[in-house]
Amino acid sequence: MSIDRPRLQRRHAGMISRRDMLARFSTGFGLVALSGLVAGGKALAAAAGPEKLGPFAPRPPHFQPKVKSVIFCFMSGGVSHVDTFDPKPRLKRDHGKPMPVPVRPTMFNQNGNIMASPWEFRNHGRSGLPVSELFPHLGSCADDLAVIRSMTSVANEHAQGNYFMHTGFSLAGYPSAGAWTSYGLGSENQNLPGFVVLASGGAPLGGVNIFGNGFLPAVHQASFIDPTQKEPLANITPREADGLQRKRLGFIGRLDQRHLARLHGDEQVESAIQNYEIAYRMQSAVPDLVDLRGESKATKELYGLDSPVREKAEYARQCLLARRLVERGVRFIELTCLPRPSDPGQIGNPWDQHGVLKAGHSEMAFQVDQPIAGLIKDLKARGLFDETLIVWAGEFGRTPFAQSTDGRDHNPFGFSVWLAGGGIKGGTAHGATDELGYYAVQDVCTVYDLWATVQHLLGLDHEKLTYRFGGRDFRLSDVHGQVVKAILA
Amino acid sequence: MTHSSLLVIRRTTRSAFAPTGAAWIALGLLIFSARTALPAPPDRLDFFEQRIRPSLVNECYECHGAKKQKGGLRVDYRDGLLKGGDSGPALVPGDAKKSLFIQSIRHEASDSKMPKDRPQLADSVIADFVTWINQGAVDPRDQAPEASAATPTDNVGWETTLKARKDWWSFQPVRKASVPKVKDAAWSEHPVDRFLLAKMEERGLRPSPAAGRESLLRRVTFVLTGLPPTVDEIEDFRRDVSPDAYEKRVDRLLASPRFGERWARHWMDLVRYCESHGSQGDPELPMAWRYRDYLIRAFNSDVPYDQFVREHIAGDLLTDPRLNVSEGLNESMLGLAHLRMVEFGYVPVDALDDQVKVVDNQIDVFSKAFLGLTVSCARCHDHKFDPISQKDFYALYGVFASSRPGQVVVDDPALQRTNRSELAGLKTEIRKGLGDAWSAAAVKLGTELLEQAARDAEKERVTAGMHRLSKEIAEVEFRARAELARQRGATFPTHLPAPLARWSFEEDLRDAVGAMHGRAEGGALVRGGRLILDGTNAWVVTEPLPADLREKTLEVWVALAVLDQKGGGALTVQTPDSENFDSIVFGEREPARWIAGSDFFRRTQDFGGPVETAKPGELIHLAVVYGTDNSITLYRNGTRHGKSYQQGTLQPFAAGSARVVLGKRHLAPGVTALAGEIEEARLYSRALTAEEVSASFEAGTISVDAVTLARSLTPAELEKRSDLQRELEQLRVAQARQLDSTKTMEAWDAALADAAKNNASPLHPWVKLSGLTGTAFQEGWDQLASFWKTELPLRRESNRTNFTHGWDLRGAEAGRWFMAGAASGNGAGGDAGAPVPAGDFCVEVKGDRVLRGLYPAGVFNHALTRKQSGVFTSPRFKVETDSISVRALGERSMARLVVENYAIGGGGLYPAVNLNADEMKWLRLDTAYRKGAHAYFEFVTADDSPNSGSAEGGRAFFGAAEVVFHHGSQPPKERLVPAAVLLAGDAPGSVEELAERYRHGLTAAVQHWREGRLSDEEWAFLDYFVRRDLLPASLPRLPQLKGSVATYRRLEADIPVPRRAPGVHEAAAFNQPLFVRGQITQPGDAVPRRFLEMFDDRPFRTSLSGRLELADNVASPANPLTARVMVNRLWHHLFGRGLVGTVDNFGRLGQKPTHPELLDHLASRFIEQGWSLKETIRFLLMSRAFQQTALASVDARRIDPSNELLSHAPVRRLEAEAIRDAVLAVSGQMDLKMYGPGVNVYHVAKTEGGGPKGPLDGDRRRSVYQRVRRNAANPFLEAFDAPKPMSTRGKRDATNVPAQSLALLNDPFVIDQSAKWAKALVAEGRSQDERIGGMFVKALGRAATAEDLASAREFLGELAAEHTIPPGEVEKSERVWQDFAQSLFCLKEFIYVD
């Protein structure tokens, strides 16, 4: 794995004094080697064995990876492709006319006539990639984006679509892409979990199972960090002064060690004892992560943290935290969209405009456009872009015809997602939907293909990263999936 | 794949590779004699075909065949094996030991362990290969197959593969092995120990010494009850030195109710117990907790496991259900609930896709939990490893998908029959009493009608007179009123805000301020200084606005005619197209409430104030203020009414187009009008303040008051007015007398009023004709009669041609439907599923009415009571029409289409209609969206619906007569017209003859009803009179029935409300077509319902689902898996690891048993002991193996590091529930209350569909009583690996993650419990050391050592210092002891048991 060791250590410079402090313990807490603090790594793993290194131990990839981390910008509710990244002039031409092809049943079955996009598309950058005027900031990053315009899903309903997009299965109970990544690669940072969801937007429909570990060991489930909460991660705030907590851990350590000795050194008890040290360190790593005081005003403005619109400022904070998590070696970071200011109750599917598409998509695009573009620019400026992969997707697209008069219903038969970052051929549009944007017709891609590609970039062979459960070897791409080579650099 | 095509393929295969009969032998001889000069005896060729070829095909061809040759080796023809690959020849014919092939499959060759990445072959298969090679490796395959040839598994038929795979150990019959001999016979005589010791001795191991008594007690207590031993129990055990002290303790623990709570939770892991369906919205699975209670009772009462299994699969079908007398429950019925604990989508566009997922999950859980098999792996193809075909999957699919989801009644049938025969007897009595009363009343009908006609004429005279007099009085007053108004208009009080427009209605509809003069429409009139609105269709519209209007105030003084009116507007501003409006609206959304009406309620919310109580005619003042901040405020009589709110944005109205409307909320056609009088109305172009509104109310209207008016009238006018008023007063008295008429007359009045408008009413001819004579009468009659004589045949014809017959539930076709629920047996004749002829009724259980009316022919679920509910379902059919219409009635019930067994209905896209009327009506369901899907039709009461609310107990009922299919949007036309009875015979010649016809029709109908031969037409006629109490149907008119009705009501009250639980209902079953490659778009041939073919390939002989047959197959001593799987689960929970480590998988991908003979010994013993779980557990606990210490010896660590041989006890982490329970038990907070609805989850995260937030301490109840919701897991339990309720989880993880440490360090639950424990400790007193000692015993089950004491003292000192507690005060510091107590919860010893 190509990990720039010195740089990683610089990134964790803040932790060194903490280590020294821990090492000074004379009371027994800290007895076990402080391996976790040395920021992980293969050498250590090999020396100590992954069990000794703790639950976040890094694991070797299958082959040389292109990227170390994934940031998943999930556009929950189903962003419309024909209004964002898949221009369809025919919709304008035939606006108001009936669909020329049979329309399949939709969620609400209030199927109307062809509806033109309320937005114009412009070609951007050297590549000339068309991006709708909904995303002026992302338009300026067009040469970094590889848009897949021929994505398909099997689910026509939010919860099932969310499960499918995240796990490859349209039911709950299967591991999320982030959990698979954590399982496959572990974490580079022994004080933070491998899979973090920035949860200020709340869970998409279907609930937190969307981010679950399924049958994988629990360590791979998402940790929810919500910077808007007093306690950004559950139980992360010590309820007592540090000195007292250390004394307590000292007492516990002494008794635990004696118990371990009584048991002739049972291995599982031994690693459980070590667990307290990780927990202890997480208590400072997480507040340190969400403390943005060290970020410059310019950086904050780049992301849009200064926006007077609360939802946009919060999404910007998620994007900035995503960069900080990437810096800390966290493998998989998922962002959650916040509700629209005009409909604060619609949590979990804010892109879901069955009516008033124009107002709704405008609000949502305003929320995410600048923050994501800011993230891309910031990662580039810091030299992290090439080792990071950004994935932007909703659970399905929307119909090219109207629902009633001014909305669009769900469309799983063809929609757009994009990727950007290390190993990605920017300025690409891959695959195509038909003239109406109804069905994917050229180089049709599946969710399995998307994750096969993501895993490929992480140095993982999607067919080999399996887990045996209930009599079968499972994987994120189920029994399908092909790496989308066309979008790779 | 069809059976015949399978045969074809097999034949092709044979002809290519395996010729049969003589030719076969000849060929074999030829090949082998040529090559090896040895004859190839037919039995060896048989052996190859039956035992060797299938294994080669299944296990090896994929990598060593025509397509791939890993390591250069091909095994798909003889020379390939002989030539071998990169490592040389694979076979040495005649010498298995030297053959690389055998070394490789025995995993003796370190670099080549075959089959790669798959489990080792079964011992019997390896033995076959050895035999085959030793006997010369006879192999008829002389040609290398082409790469393009069929895929490997096609090379042998499934039957051959099946046969080969059936050799796997777990499919062999259980054979009770004899107890082996051991060297160290003195260690233990217990059979379990002997089996274990024999293996240990083989490997040079010794068992460990006995565990210390403290450890043993803690271990056995946690294992059996999931709780730590109490201090008393520890003390008892310490003091009991008798040899059977441990045995007594085991027996006590087995008898504890805590045992069932612990072991129920183990079982809940297997059936993915949950109380919601997950996905979007996490819909509730109502009453799921009853199944949890059932499990607890079942484990506590040691229900034999075979019975338990039967109840889980077919508890509703057992001929001899297990009744719980003390609870009045049919326990067997409760076992079904796990079939419903499935996940499904919200409103899936393709419901079949969801059904597949649901059934797949049901089969997955069924096969893993009971059989340790992974049958759902065979959904898309034959199982990759086990003898389970794709057909097996679909054979079971038919069984599960034919069982319909629903709430089942779990009461003891005897309870459901409470008072049933008594009620039936009383009903007969009441029926007779009604018959007598009606016969007597019917003969008087003619006279009554004639009397009624006379009364009507008088009433008409009074009303008309009053109307005329009011008008005349207004005319007398008009001059003075108009003059006064003109004077007053000029002097509008200056201290009041100036309106934009004001209407006082003193003389007309003029605007007194500006030019927004009104125009009367639909009979609106100005009289007596008011605008009179009759509530039918009267309103006023004004000239357009003079200026744009944004913020505004609408003000009106109004007197309502009645409070019971709906949706009229008093004062409105609206755009010309009526698209946008703001209005003061009465009673639209809720009865008797004022709202600020707006287009599609965009600016409307409930103000939340009290409902309107003004008496009819009482003047009230209303003002609605629309502010620039989008606030909307209502004032009533000068004070704020309810809450001000902000919703939407202020609606602007443009000058020159928007107008004011009085009397309707807007002018779109069909909008209801207000009934009442408006005294004055004002419109302001700004938002008045509260003070201004108040002042305006205080100042009152600018209208003319009575005293001033009287002063302005001339003497002549006064006199005239006085005469008129006197006359009016007389008429008022007459009217009051009329109103004061008897109940009967009221009933007649209502009926006649209805009849005037409704030509289907039998009284319609009477209303129309009773005032006529001679030819006018004749012509009137002819007109009415000819209408119906034309209309009825037209209706019949229309119904015949536009509708396709579905089911006529009034006759034999009802027998094809299925009735379930407590109401079964609550029908006439004892069976609610059977149709009853017209004329049945339900006795009312409260109020004056004895009955509401009579029912037409049909199926009803409430012949004796409306409490007992029910479910009535049709056969399954394919939806092929746009609509389905039903003729039905009901209350709190629903008629719905259940698409592909989808368990949520009545919402979203699933066609359903609510039944909320007691009279049969045609109701249409729009089914266009679901065309092509399979579905069944269901009548169901609210509480029996699979997605019913969580409370139960409301009365509900339904009745159904017909179901038809059609395409149009109109349901069939009503054929049963009550008036039709009158048409028979010649035309009546006079009113008297008409009255006689009524009398005759009614007496005949009553007579036929009494004789039980009421025709449909007669029913319609008779019911009309009964329902309106024209024939006595209420107690005041039936005093003779008071006694029997009272008794009936008392007995009916004793019928308990049925208790329900999730379950399934039976119906005519179907066979599921196999989905080719699992694709639902590619259905193949239907697979008959049956058990797994490896056990029994005969189709079930039943028209029902086949669950009963399936249960018999599973709960059978002959089934090799059922007993093995279950004893292995017991072993797993007692010894920490199953004899088969993969407790849910006994197939090829599972682990092999470490002690196969022991497993079989236990399985057969289990069956012999009557499938008793407790007995088996007790037997295992009495082994010395269980009682060993957990310390591994040096030898044990070296020879058997994973302790498969059990030379010592395991160290195990407690399960999540046990950890939480132990915290509660140790802190002294635990509430041991058992059973009942679960405690809501305490959750803090933003979770969707998480349901209500529960208390932090979970009401201090054991974890098994905490609710399990799919989308809102309990975070504390989840951190410690509580399973997600998705599939069978027989073995939990015991992970080690920081969230666990963080929970013990920082979780408010742990801290809260520590504080409570500390409080109790401080209150208890005792010295520091005593206290420490006591805490160790309580938390860890052992005394503190001297070292522990020293550490504890030191830590307490640190705590005291930290909290600045003086040394003498430490014992009293709750804070110090809280920290100390919490530290004990943090110890590994607290959550690990050794």
PDB file of all heavy atoms in Angstrom, chain A residues 82 86-95 114 116-117 121 434-436:
ATOM      1  N   VAL A  82     -31.875  13.945 -15.746  1.00  0.00           N
ATOM      2  CA  VAL A  82     -32.110  14.786 -16.923  1.00  0.00           C
ATOM      3  C   VAL A  82     -32.066  16.276 -16.568  1.00  0.00           C
ATOM      4  O   VAL A  82     -32.122  17.115 -17.453  1.00  0.00           O
ATOM      5  CB  VAL A  82     -33.448  14.448 -17.617  1.00  0.00           C
ATOM      6  CG1 VAL A  82     -33.394  13.039 -18.188  1.00  0.00           C
ATOM      7  CG2 VAL A  82     -34.614  14.596 -16.655  1.00  0.00           C
ATOM      8  N   ASP A  86     -27.289  14.761 -17.431  1.00  0.00           N
ATOM      9  CA  ASP A  86     -27.635  14.027 -18.651  1.00  0.00           C
ATOM     10  C   ASP A  86     -28.601  14.871 -19.495  1.00  0.00           C
ATOM     11  O   ASP A  86     -29.817  14.699 -19.442  1.00  0.00           O
ATOM     12  CB  ASP A  86     -28.291  12.687 -18.245  1.00  0.00           C
ATOM     13  CG  ASP A  86     -28.420  11.733 -19.430  1.00  0.00           C
ATOM     14  OD1 ASP A  86     -27.895  12.052 -20.520  1.00  0.00           O
ATOM     15  OD2 ASP A  86     -29.044  10.669 -19.259  1.00  0.00           O
ATOM     16  N   PRO A  87     -28.055  15.823 -20.260  1.00  0.00           N
ATOM     17  CA  PRO A  87     -28.926  16.743 -21.011  1.00  0.00           C
ATOM     18  C   PRO A  87     -29.729  16.004 -22.072  1.00  0.00           C
ATOM     19  O   PRO A  87     -29.192  15.141 -22.774  1.00  0.00           O
ATOM     20  CB  PRO A  87     -27.933  17.719 -21.660  1.00  0.00           C
ATOM     21  CG  PRO A  87     -26.619  17.011 -21.682  1.00  0.00           C
ATOM     22  CD  PRO A  87     -26.615  16.093 -20.497  1.00  0.00           C
ATOM     23  N   LYS A  88     -31.003  16.352 -22.197  1.00  0.00           N
ATOM     24  CA  LYS A  88     -31.870  15.693 -23.174  1.00  0.00           C
ATOM     25  C   LYS A  88     -32.652  16.757 -23.951  1.00  0.00           C
ATOM     26  O   LYS A  88     -33.759  17.151 -23.550  1.00  0.00           O
ATOM     27  CB  LYS A  88     -32.849  14.743 -22.458  1.00  0.00           C
ATOM     28  CG  LYS A  88     -32.176  13.523 -21.863  1.00  0.00           C
ATOM     29  CD  LYS A  88     -31.644  12.594 -22.931  1.00  0.00           C
ATOM     30  CE  LYS A  88     -30.650  11.595 -22.339  1.00  0.00           C
ATOM     31  NZ  LYS A  88     -29.892  10.885 -23.374  1.00  0.00           N
ATOM     32  N   PRO A  89     -32.084  17.231 -25.054  1.00  0.00           N
ATOM     33  CA  PRO A  89     -32.752  18.303 -25.819  1.00  0.00           C
ATOM     34  C   PRO A  89     -34.166  17.901 -26.248  1.00  0.00           C
ATOM     35  O   PRO A  89     -35.040  18.747 -26.389  1.00  0.00           O
ATOM     36  CB  PRO A  89     -31.849  18.474 -27.042  1.00  0.00           C
ATOM     37  CG  PRO A  89     -30.540  17.840 -26.686  1.00  0.00           C
ATOM     38  CD  PRO A  89     -30.811  16.825 -25.633  1.00  0.00           C
ATOM     39  N   ARG A  90     -34.384  16.609 -26.421  1.00  0.00           N
ATOM     40  CA  ARG A  90     -35.698  16.211 -26.928  1.00  0.00           C
ATOM     41  C   ARG A  90     -36.805  16.539 -25.929  1.00  0.00           C
ATOM     42  O   ARG A  90     -37.948  16.767 -26.304  1.00  0.00           O
ATOM     43  CB  ARG A  90     -35.695  14.705 -27.235  1.00  0.00           C
ATOM     44  CG  ARG A  90     -37.040  14.294 -27.773  1.00  0.00           C
ATOM     45  CD  ARG A  90     -37.075  13.047 -28.586  1.00  0.00           C
ATOM     46  NE  ARG A  90     -38.462  12.726 -28.889  1.00  0.00           N
ATOM     47  CZ  ARG A  90     -38.884  11.523 -29.205  1.00  0.00           C
ATOM     48  NH1 ARG A  90     -38.023  10.529 -29.289  1.00  0.00           N
ATOM     49  NH2 ARG A  90     -40.166  11.320 -29.460  1.00  0.00           N
ATOM     50  N   LEU A  91     -36.460  16.549 -24.652  1.00  0.00           N
ATOM     51  CA  LEU A  91     -37.484  16.873 -23.652  1.00  0.00           C
ATOM     52  C   LEU A  91     -37.986  18.290 -23.861  1.00  0.00           C
ATOM     53  O   LEU A  91     -39.164  18.584 -23.675  1.00  0.00           O
ATOM     54  CB  LEU A  91     -36.920  16.725 -22.234  1.00  0.00           C
ATOM     55  CG  LEU A  91     -36.438  15.333 -21.828  1.00  0.00           C
ATOM     56  CD1 LEU A  91     -36.054  15.329 -20.349  1.00  0.00           C
ATOM     57  CD2 LEU A  91     -37.498  14.283 -22.097  1.00  0.00           C
ATOM     58  N   LYS A  92     -37.073  19.166 -24.273  1.00  0.00           N
ATOM     59  CA  LYS A  92     -37.463  20.551 -24.515  1.00  0.00           C
ATOM     60  C   LYS A  92     -38.341  20.617 -25.763  1.00  0.00           C
ATOM     61  O   LYS A  92     -39.388  21.263 -25.782  1.00  0.00           O
ATOM     62  CB  LYS A  92     -36.190  21.379 -24.707  1.00  0.00           C
ATOM     63  CG  LYS A  92     -36.396  22.861 -24.564  1.00  0.00           C
ATOM     64  CD  LYS A  92     -35.038  23.536 -24.511  1.00  0.00           C
ATOM     65  CE  LYS A  92     -35.138  24.974 -24.083  1.00  0.00           C
ATOM     66  NZ  LYS A  92     -33.802  25.562 -23.939  1.00  0.00           N
ATOM     67  N   ARG A  93     -37.884  19.887 -26.770  1.00  0.00           N
ATOM     68  CA  ARG A  93     -38.606  19.912 -28.048  1.00  0.00           C
ATOM     69  C   ARG A  93     -40.028  19.380 -27.865  1.00  0.00           C
ATOM     70  O   ARG A  93     -40.982  19.919 -28.391  1.00  0.00           O
ATOM     71  CB  ARG A  93     -37.836  19.059 -29.045  1.00  0.00           C
ATOM     72  CG  ARG A  93     -38.078  19.461 -30.482  1.00  0.00           C
ATOM     73  CD  ARG A  93     -37.143  18.716 -31.429  1.00  0.00           C
ATOM     74  NE  ARG A  93     -37.394  17.294 -31.475  1.00  0.00           N
ATOM     75  CZ  ARG A  93     -36.455  16.358 -31.364  1.00  0.00           C
ATOM     76  NH1 ARG A  93     -35.203  16.702 -31.145  1.00  0.00           N
ATOM     77  NH2 ARG A  93     -36.765  15.083 -31.439  1.00  0.00           N
ATOM     78  N   ASP A  94     -40.137  18.300 -27.130  1.00  0.00           N
ATOM     79  CA  ASP A  94     -41.443  17.626 -27.039  1.00  0.00           C
ATOM     80  C   ASP A  94     -42.156  17.905 -25.729  1.00  0.00           C
ATOM     81  O   ASP A  94     -43.042  17.151 -25.320  1.00  0.00           O
ATOM     82  CB  ASP A  94     -41.260  16.114 -27.212  1.00  0.00           C
ATOM     83  CG  ASP A  94     -40.888  15.758 -28.634  1.00  0.00           C
ATOM     84  OD1 ASP A  94     -40.998  16.650 -29.501  1.00  0.00           O
ATOM     85  OD2 ASP A  94     -40.473  14.610 -28.874  1.00  0.00           O
ATOM     86  N   HIS A  95     -41.755  18.956 -25.087  1.00  0.00           N
ATOM     87  CA  HIS A  95     -42.365  19.300 -23.801  1.00  0.00           C
ATOM     88  C   HIS A  95     -43.900  19.327 -23.923  1.00  0.00           C
ATOM     89  O   HIS A  95     -44.441  19.935 -24.851  1.00  0.00           O
ATOM     90  CB  HIS A  95     -41.861  20.674 -23.336  1.00  0.00           C
ATOM     91  CG  HIS A  95     -42.513  21.137 -22.063  1.00  0.00           C
ATOM     92  ND1 HIS A  95     -42.154  20.636 -20.839  1.00  0.00           N
ATOM     93  CD2 HIS A  95     -43.500  22.022 -21.836  1.00  0.00           C
ATOM     94  CE1 HIS A  95     -42.900  21.197 -19.898  1.00  0.00           C
ATOM     95  NE2 HIS A  95     -43.725  22.044 -20.482  1.00  0.00           N
ATOM     96  N   ILE A 114     -44.328  14.514 -21.319  1.00  0.00           N
ATOM     97  CA  ILE A 114     -42.898  14.832 -21.313  1.00  0.00           C
ATOM     98  C   ILE A 114     -42.696  16.205 -20.678  1.00  0.00           C
ATOM     99  O   ILE A 114     -43.465  17.133 -20.934  1.00  0.00           O
ATOM    100  CB  ILE A 114     -42.365  14.822 -22.757  1.00  0.00           C
ATOM    101  CG1 ILE A 114     -42.359  13.376 -23.278  1.00  0.00           C
ATOM    102  CG2 ILE A 114     -40.977  15.452 -22.853  1.00  0.00           C
ATOM    103  CD1 ILE A 114     -42.012  13.254 -24.730  1.00  0.00           C
ATOM    104  N   ALA A 116     -39.847  19.185 -20.023  1.00  0.00           N
ATOM    105  CA  ALA A 116     -38.506  19.720 -20.281  1.00  0.00           C
ATOM    106  C   ALA A 116     -37.832  20.047 -18.964  1.00  0.00           C
ATOM    107  O   ALA A 116     -38.493  20.324 -17.965  1.00  0.00           O
ATOM    108  CB  ALA A 116     -38.612  20.979 -21.135  1.00  0.00           C
ATOM    109  N   SER A 117     -36.519  20.020 -18.973  1.00  0.00           N
ATOM    110  CA  SER A 117     -35.804  20.440 -17.775  1.00  0.00           C
ATOM    111  C   SER A 117     -35.959  21.945 -17.619  1.00  0.00           C
ATOM    112  O   SER A 117     -35.832  22.690 -18.583  1.00  0.00           O
ATOM    113  CB  SER A 117     -34.330  20.085 -17.897  1.00  0.00           C
ATOM    114  OG  SER A 117     -33.655  20.622 -16.783  1.00  0.00           O
ATOM    115  N   PHE A 121     -28.262  23.495 -19.849  1.00  0.00           N
ATOM    116  CA  PHE A 121     -26.967  22.832 -19.668  1.00  0.00           C
ATOM    117  C   PHE A 121     -25.895  23.671 -20.364  1.00  0.00           C
ATOM    118  O   PHE A 121     -26.143  24.261 -21.407  1.00  0.00           O
ATOM    119  CB  PHE A 121     -26.981  21.434 -20.270  1.00  0.00           C
ATOM    120  CG  PHE A 121     -27.669  20.418 -19.407  1.00  0.00           C
ATOM    121  CD1 PHE A 121     -29.051  20.401 -19.284  1.00  0.00           C
ATOM    122  CD2 PHE A 121     -26.943  19.477 -18.691  1.00  0.00           C
ATOM    123  CE1 PHE A 121     -29.690  19.473 -18.486  1.00  0.00           C
ATOM    124  CE2 PHE A 121     -27.578  18.547 -17.883  1.00  0.00           C
ATOM    125  CZ  PHE A 121     -28.945  18.547 -17.785  1.00  0.00           C
ATOM    126  N   ASP A 434     -31.548   6.649 -23.406  1.00  0.00           N
ATOM    127  CA  ASP A 434     -32.174   6.913 -24.694  1.00  0.00           C
ATOM    128  C   ASP A 434     -32.440   8.411 -24.860  1.00  0.00           C
ATOM    129  O   ASP A 434     -32.154   9.208 -23.965  1.00  0.00           O
ATOM    130  CB  ASP A 434     -33.451   6.075 -24.849  1.00  0.00           C
ATOM    131  CG  ASP A 434     -34.448   6.363 -23.729  1.00  0.00           C
ATOM    132  OD1 ASP A 434     -34.452   7.490 -23.203  1.00  0.00           O
ATOM    133  OD2 ASP A 434     -35.225   5.451 -23.377  1.00  0.00           O
ATOM    134  N   GLU A 435     -33.002   8.757 -25.986  1.00  0.00           N
ATOM    135  CA  GLU A 435     -33.215  10.171 -26.325  1.00  0.00           C
ATOM    136  C   GLU A 435     -34.025  10.921 -25.271  1.00  0.00           C
ATOM    137  O   GLU A 435     -33.932  12.129 -25.128  1.00  0.00           O
ATOM    138  CB  GLU A 435     -33.983  10.225 -27.647  1.00  0.00           C
ATOM    139  CG  GLU A 435     -33.245  10.897 -28.758  1.00  0.00           C
ATOM    140  CD  GLU A 435     -34.205  11.152 -29.908  1.00  0.00           C
ATOM    141  OE1 GLU A 435     -35.049  10.279 -30.193  1.00  0.00           O
ATOM    142  OE2 GLU A 435     -34.128  12.231 -30.470  1.00  0.00           O
ATOM    143  N   LEU A 436     -34.851  10.151 -24.560  1.00  0.00           N
ATOM    144  CA  LEU A 436     -35.719  10.779 -23.565  1.00  0.00           C
ATOM    145  C   LEU A 436     -35.107  10.749 -22.169  1.00  0.00           C
ATOM    146  O   LEU A 436     -35.605  11.373 -21.245  1.00  0.00           O
ATOM    147  CB  LEU A 436     -37.061  10.037 -23.519  1.00  0.00           C
ATOM    148  CG  LEU A 436     -37.899  10.097 -24.793  1.00  0.00           C
ATOM    149  CD1 LEU A 436     -38.843   8.925 -24.865  1.00  0.00           C
ATOM    150  CD2 LEU A 436     -38.676  11.411 -24.842  1.00  0.00           C
TER     151      LEU A 436
END
